[in-house]
Each structure stands twice: as C-alpha cells, then as structure tokens.
C-alpha cells in the first residue's frame, strides 16, 4: 500500500516502533563512544556493555557470556533460545566490535563521539561495523520482548580483532569454544551491502578471496658504491616488481561470480552489458575480458591479483646495497592456495638470486605458503535466499538481489574454513561514493540505519519462522 503510493523507486521503507528506535539510537551511541581500537581501546568494555543490555532485556545469565584471550580483547556470545527440542542446528551471527584507528586531528568531529549532523550519524565504526553490532543487539532485545520463538537457536557473537591485532575473536572462539558458536550456517553483516545509487543492488557475500603476503628478498655482499658491479640487490627486486607490474593472472569464474556477472549484465547497459555477457561465453571473449579488467572493481573479482605494497633496501647512500626487499600482497581467487601463488611468483621473477617467502598475519616468514585453498563457495541456501529476497523486496523494491565475491577479507574466512557456510548480509544502505569505512569522517545516513534495524528484524524472523 505504502509503495503503491510512491511515484518513484524511493519508497517509505517499513518503520520500527518508537521504543525500538530509541534502543537502536542509544545502543549505537554507546558503542561508538567506547573506543575499540587495537592501540588503546578495549572490545571487552563494549562486549560487557552489550551483554548488560541483553541481561536487562531478560536474557538468562547462562546464555550471555563475555570471554577472550586477555582482558582487552573480549568477545560477547549470546544465545537466543529457539523452540524447545528443535533438531535444527543454530544460525550464527558474527559481527566485529573493533574499529580501525582514527585520529582526532584528521576528522571534522571527534571520531569517538556519536555526532548527529545533516541527516547522518558520524563516528568511527558507523559504517564498519558498529551499526550492524547495534542492529543485532537491538533486534535481539525486540524479539525477546515480544516473545518471539525462532525455529532454531540464534547465536550472536560480537568479536575482537577483525581489523588489526593478534586476537581475532572468531578464530579464538572456534579454536577454544567451538560449542558456543557452532552453527549450521552464519550471517556476517560486515560484507555485502545495499547500494541505493545506480545500479541499485542488494549484494550478499557468498564467497571471498584468500589473503596472502609474500616477501621478495635479494641479498648481496655489498661494497663501495664507487666500484659498482652488475649484481645489485635493489636491481634484482626492482626487476621482479617490473615483471609483476606487467603480469596479469588469468581470468577465472566460479558459481558466485558467474551469477554476479549474469545479474549485472541485466542492469548495466550498452557495451558494458554486452561485455558482461561475452565473458560468460565459452570460451570467454578476450576483448571483453580486457575491457572489463580496466575497471578496478571488476578486475578484482575476475582473477587473483598481486601488487607491490612495501619496499626497502640499502643502508647508506655511498654503499652497494647488501639487501633489498619488497612486500607483494595477493588476493587469491578461491580454489588456489598461497603456496600455488608463491610458486607462480617464483616462476614469474625467474631469478635465482631472489627468495620469495610467505609472510603470515603475525609477520612470520616461511619458505612454503599454506597449501590450504580458499574455500569453494558454499551452496546458496534456499531458506537464506528466499528470506533475503522477500524481505529485501519490501524495503528496496526494484533492487537486484545478487551474490558477490568479496575481494577483501572478512571474518567469514574463519567460519567458512571451519565448515560453517557464511553469508555476508548487511541491511544498511550506503552510496558507493560515500564508502568511508577505515577513512575519515565515517558516517551513515540516519534513515538508512533505522531501515537496517527494521530490515534485520524482519529478515531474522523470516529466516527462523517455522514453515506452517
Ligand atoms: Zn569490518
């Protein structure tokens, strides 16, 4: 009815009641104003504050815990009990509490103050991802207050160290308390997203690339720079990087990107739509692959990428360098391992003077990367897809719902590797040009936030309401 009255695609989305809106506001403000950066913040303080909110709303003490490897990196795990005797395994929601560093002098407002201005909420974490943390807690409270009983348990894990730090909460929980978060599948609002500008999409993450850093190192005896010799550590590394610059990994497709390109072909127009169709042909049209590869975002989901990100070498202006090294950062297409990519780099550089070593998240260097391949995409579950499609249609009529492969990395890599299929679904609409995650003056539209509150509430209920 409401939508029938809208002349344009911009319809009044369903709205929450006043109590829910107030809760949503207060919880969001509280989270933004608790500093959860790796340097000086504490996710434990935020985890405890959210635990208290749930206890106050009537969740039993036994179902809400705060735990972690040390006193600054706490995680909150809360279990919303489903129908007694349900044979269904739980659904898990993972959402990180930590935020990227933010300096007061870089920002127009204090990043750790919740500021409402010009129709936006400002503060570090308003996009990534305290908005979704607050939404999950608000919706848990609302469902509890109205006595909703889902067909399975819903577990909410608010966690540490997704962005930085050495105490990743999802990883830690899986290794130390798997029973607390074990689930049939997971939702992670950190990825996926609603784009209200053209093309209008509701994207959900169905798979992601694998992250890998590699050290490229050359060493030399060195010597006096007045007596140069051809064998120079800096030249070895420079030549390797020049070869990398010219190199592109082959174009690849999987079930998720195939569907993504097919859907995008329907909403794009002209040459671009034709190119999207042409790369799906067998064999793919090479010219179309080339044209689309010029677009950074398309390129990132078409292949493995590797790029030089750090460089150092030499020890004095008047000495031959004894050492030069670079970091090459790769985003690996699912189905390949870090070791496979390391061997490809060795082959590409084709220089016995160079070593190419895998650098772990903690900085450790090894001669052999992991043989673990990025997980093949999990099947798109009917219950998740149907609930998402039907609820999204109410909030964003006319938008295309489509699966995406995340080019970056999220905590879903941990749950997916643990055998828990994970879907990135966020209900907060952000325009492409307003992507400020990790950046300065991070903000979210006030309306978009409240719509997200209502969307996730309806989505969770649709997902966990027993079929009649
Ligand atoms: Zn994030």
């Amino acid at each position: 009815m409401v939508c029938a009255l809208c002349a344009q695609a911009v319809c009044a989305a369903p709205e929450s009641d006043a109590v829910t809106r107030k809760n949503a506001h207060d919880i969001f403000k509280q989270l933004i104003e608790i500093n959860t950066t790796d340097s000086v913040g504490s996710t434990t303080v935020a985890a405890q504050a959210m635990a208290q909110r749930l206890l106050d709303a009537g969740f039993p003490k036994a179902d809400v815990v705060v735990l972690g490897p040390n006193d600054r990196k706490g995680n909150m795990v809360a279990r919303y009990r489903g129908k007694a005797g349900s044979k269904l395994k739980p659904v898990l929601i993972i959402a990180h509490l930590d935020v990227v560093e933010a300096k007061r002098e870089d920002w127009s407002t204090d990043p750790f103050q919740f500021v409402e201005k010009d129709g936006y909420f400002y503060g570090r974490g308003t996009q990534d991802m305290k908005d979704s943390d607050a939404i999950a807690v608000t919706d848990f409270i609302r469902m509890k207050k109205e006595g909703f009983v889902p067909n399975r348990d819903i577990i909410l894990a608010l966690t540490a160290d997704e962005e930085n730090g050495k105490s990743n909460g999802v990883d830690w929980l899986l290794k130390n308390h798997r029973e607390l978060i074990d689930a049939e599948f997971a939702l992670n609002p950190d990825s996926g997203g609603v784009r209200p500008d053209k093309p209008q999409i509701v994207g959900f993450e169905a798979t992601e690339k694998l992250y890998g850093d590699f050290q490229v190192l050359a060493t030399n005896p060195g010597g006096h720079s007045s007596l140069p010799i051809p064998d120079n550590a800096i030249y070895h590394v420079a030549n390797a990087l020049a070869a990398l610059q010219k190199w592109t990994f082959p174009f690849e497709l999987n079930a998720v990107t195939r569907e993504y390109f097919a859907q995008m072909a329907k909403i794009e127009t002209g040459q671009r739509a034709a190119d999207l169709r042409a790369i799906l042909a067998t064999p793919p049209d090479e010219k179309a692959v080339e044209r689309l590869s010029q677009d950074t975002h398309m390129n990132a989901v078409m292949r493995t990428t590797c790029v030089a990100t750090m460089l150092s070498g030499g020890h004095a202006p008047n000495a031959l360098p004894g050492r030069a090294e670079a970091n090459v950062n790769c985003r690996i297409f699912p189905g390949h391992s870090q070791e496979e990519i390391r061997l490809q780099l060795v082959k590409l550089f084709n220089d016995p003077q160079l070593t190419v070593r895998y650098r772990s998240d903690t900085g450790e260097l090894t001669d052999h990367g992991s043989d673990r391949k990025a997980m093949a995409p999990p099947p798109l579950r009917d219950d998740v897809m149907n609930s998402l499609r039907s609820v999204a249609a109410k909030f964003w009529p006319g938008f295309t719902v489509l699966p995406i492969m995340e080019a970056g990395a999220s905590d879903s890599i941990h749950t997916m590797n643990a055998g828990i299929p994970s879907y990135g679904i966020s209900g907060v609409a952000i325009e492409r040009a307003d992507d400020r995650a990790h950046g300065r003056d991070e903000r979210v539209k006030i309306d978009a936030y409240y719509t997200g509150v209502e969307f996730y509430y309806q989505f969770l209920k649709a997902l966990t309401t027993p079929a009649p």
Side-chain angles (χ1 to χ4, degrees):
M1 184 61 193
V2 177
C3 284
L5 296 172
C6 300
Q8 298 296 324
V10 187
C11 288
E15 277 192 7
S16 311
D17 60 283
V19 176
T20 299
R21 282 174 74 93
K22 175 156 184 357
N23 254 340
H25 173 277
D26 295 353
I27 293 170
F28 198 10
K29 175 172 160 58
Q30 183 179 25
L31 278 174
I32 295 294
E33 296 186 350
I34 297 170
N35 187 327
T36 53
T37 58
D38 182 41
S39 59
V40 296
S42 164
T43 58
T44 306
V45 176
Q48 278 163 348
M50 294 304 103
Q52 195 57 52
R53 292 262 178 191
L54 293 175
L55 294 174
D56 291 348
F59 279 79
K61 245 189 156 143
D63 289 345
V64 183
V65 290
V66 172
L67 68 182
N70 60 62
D71 53 8
R72 218 158 60 80
K73 302 290 186 181
N75 308 286
M76 188 210 76
V77 180
R79 183 175 293 256
Y80 191 119
R81 295 276 167 189
K83 203 166 133 249
S86 172
K87 296 242 169 14
L88 299 170
K89 274 183 89 176
V91 50
L92 166 69
I93 305 169
I94 53 171
H96 66 82
L97 286 167
D98 61 312
V99 292
V100 169
E101 309 292 330
K103 290 198 182 116
R104 175 66 188 93
E105 60 269 28
D106 297 340
W107 280 53
S108 313
T109 59
D110 183 338
F112 299 100
Q113 289 292 315
F114 188 68
V115 175
E116 301 181 39
K117 204 173 63 164
D118 314 323
Y120 290 89
F121 291 131
Y122 283 82
R124 172 56 89 222
T126 46
Q127 284 191 4
D128 186 10
M129 59 174 295
K130 285 176 168 172
D131 52 343
S132 296
D133 300 337
I135 286 171
V137 174
T138 302
D139 290 342
F140 256 45
I141 292 171
R142 181 173 174 191
M143 292 190 298
K144 185 84 187 169
K145 290 249 149 122
E146 65 184 30
F148 173 68
V149 182
N151 65 347
R152 56 172 88 217
D153 290 359
I154 308 174
I155 303 167
L156 172 62
L158 300 178
T159 62
D161 280 8
E162 192 272 342
E163 305 286 6
N164 296 105
K166 294 178 177 168
S167 308
N168 181 278
V170 176
D171 187 41
W172 187 85
L173 286 167
L174 283 166
K175 284 184 180 140
N176 297 283
H177 295 276
R178 171 94 189 219
E179 75 291 349
L180 278 179
I181 62 164
D182 203 24
E184 188 166 332
F185 63 96
L187 304 172
N188 179 4
D190 199 17
S191 58
V194 181
R195 295 299 190 180
D197 47 342
K198 297 251 151 102
Q200 294 175 317
I201 61 163
V202 178
F204 63 93
E205 184 201 296
T207 186
E208 66 183 45
K209 291 173 99 177
L210 178 65
Y211 182 102
D213 279 318
F214 300 91
Q215 180 213 48
V216 181
L217 174 72
T219 52
N220 273 153
H224 202 283
S225 64
S226 65
L227 298 169
I229 52 169
D231 184 17
N232 178 304
I234 290 177
Y235 296 157
H236 282 287
V237 171
N239 287 335
L241 298 183
L244 181 65
Q245 185 188 11
K246 292 193 206 88
W247 169 254
T248 35
F249 284 86
F251 167 59
E252 289 184 73
L253 285 166
N254 60 29
V256 172
T257 57
R258 191 175 279 284
E259 176 68 13
Y260 170 75
F261 293 133
Q263 294 288 340
M264 287 302 284
K266 290 184 201 158
I267 48 183
E268 298 278 9
T269 53
Q271 181 73 55
R272 200 167 158 95
D275 283 349
L276 285 163
R277 278 190 293 270
I279 63 169
L280 294 175
T282 323
D285 182 290
E286 278 177 35
K287 286 271 173 287
V289 168
E290 222 179 283
R291 273 191 296 271
L292 286 175
S293 301
Q294 303 305 310
D295 178 319
T296 310
H297 291 273
M298 282 292 172
N299 183 56
V301 293
M302 290 169 74
R303 52 172 55 85
T304 295
T305 63
C306 289
V307 63
T309 52
M310 287 163 74
L311 182 63
S312 65
H315 56 281
N318 57 357
L320 297 175
R323 179 190 172 92
E325 73 166 277
N327 186 75
V328 171
N329 177 253
C330 298
R331 304 301 178 126
I332 302 166
F333 200 89
H336 302 286
S337 68
Q338 291 159 338
E339 179 59 8
E340 244 182 286
I341 300 304
R342 192 189 71 81
L343 291 173
Q344 287 201 35
L345 292 175
V346 169
K347 198 169 152 207
L348 169 71
F349 300 154
N350 188 27
D351 180 348
Q353 294 280 94
L354 288 175
T355 60
V356 181
R357 292 197 284 178
Y358 171 69
R359 189 195 304 270
S360 76
D361 295 347
T362 49
E364 201 186 328
L365 293 162
T366 46
D367 291 329
H368 195 283
S370 165
D371 286 312
R372 197 187 74 204
K373 295 178 192 301
M375 286 278 295
L380 303 178
R381 293 176 62 98
D382 281 345
D383 53 355
V384 176
M385 292 309 102
N386 294 341
S387 312
L388 174 63
R389 288 214 166 86
S390 64
V391 179
K394 281 199 260 175
F395 287 81
W396 304 287
F399 284 36
T400 304
V401 178
L402 81 185
I404 52 179
M405 178 171 78
E406 173 62 53
S410 79
D411 274 341
S412 295
I413 204 87
H414 299 295
T415 44
M416 284 198 266
N417 281 328
I420 303 172
S422 306
Y423 306 94
I425 296 175
S426 155
V428 180
I430 296 169
E431 269 128 43
R432 289 172 179 81
D434 209 36
D435 215 327
R436 299 188 179 192
H438 300 197
R440 66 188 288 274
D441 294 345
E442 189 178 344
R443 65 182 186 176
V444 68
K445 268 206 174 112
I446 292 174
D447 285 352
Y449 172 66
Y450 287 122
T451 300
V453 173
E454 185 64 23
F455 165 79
Y456 239 87
Y457 164 78
Q458 292 197 21
F459 170 62
L460 280 180
K461 284 181 81 172
L463 184 60
T464 57
T465 297

